[in-house]
Amino acid sequence: MHLKLKGSPLIALVGFMGCGKSTAGRLLAERLGWQFVDLDEEIERRTGRAVPEIFEQEGEAQFRQLEHEAFVEQQRLARQGRARVVAMGGGAFVESRNRDQLEVTGLSIWLDCPLDELWLRVAKESHRPLARRREDFDRLYQQRLPHYRLADFTVAASDAPPRVVEAILKLPLF
Ligand code: S3P
């Protein structure tokens, strides 16, 4: 097993909105027999509120705090040996406090997908507060790229999710 996974089995899938973290994460967890956690869903479960509602009523800073707390909890469970794949929201890995935590527990895989493809995927859905205008979406993507490049591994994610998972399973993680 990869050094960073020893005793604390947590794989964090990171990357921009629409890169397929949740779909690939679910499949990956199934293949590994690990638990799957979608961090956004976990925040919604913990707060009893939807992500757009939190953004609207309390602002992004409060959402980031809730996201951080939910992530810390996932790491605590991983340290108990409860293996998990965590699909992080697109902004979670941009926060240095979450990246710092990942240095200690777990490893990160960036699902790298071209911007045009990302927009095509998210434009079909309406629930993301930070994906309403193409211009803002592009700017945010450019700002975040240097952060995503800090992930432990990168996998091309324009393929269908099962192929993305195959690529992950070929990484020197296990
Ligand atoms: C966000 C991405 C969303 C969600 C929230 C903020 C972001 O998750 O956490 O809307 O800052 O990129 P997905 O990446 O799963 O869409």
Side-chain angles (χ1 to χ4, degrees), residues 15-19 21-22 38-40 43 51-52 55 60 63-64 67 87-92 94 122 125 127-131 140 144 148:
F16 207 55
M17 292 168 269
C19 71
K21 300 173 295 267
S22 303
D38 179 305
L39 206 58
D40 283 340
I43 295 163
V51 169
F55 263 77
E60 182 171 347
F63 173 76
R64 295 299 167 204
E67 184 176 55
M88 295 181 88
V94 176
V122 303
E125 302 161 344
H127 65 273
R128 291 181 176 90
L130 300 179
L140 196 57
R144 287 180 173 180
Y148 295 142

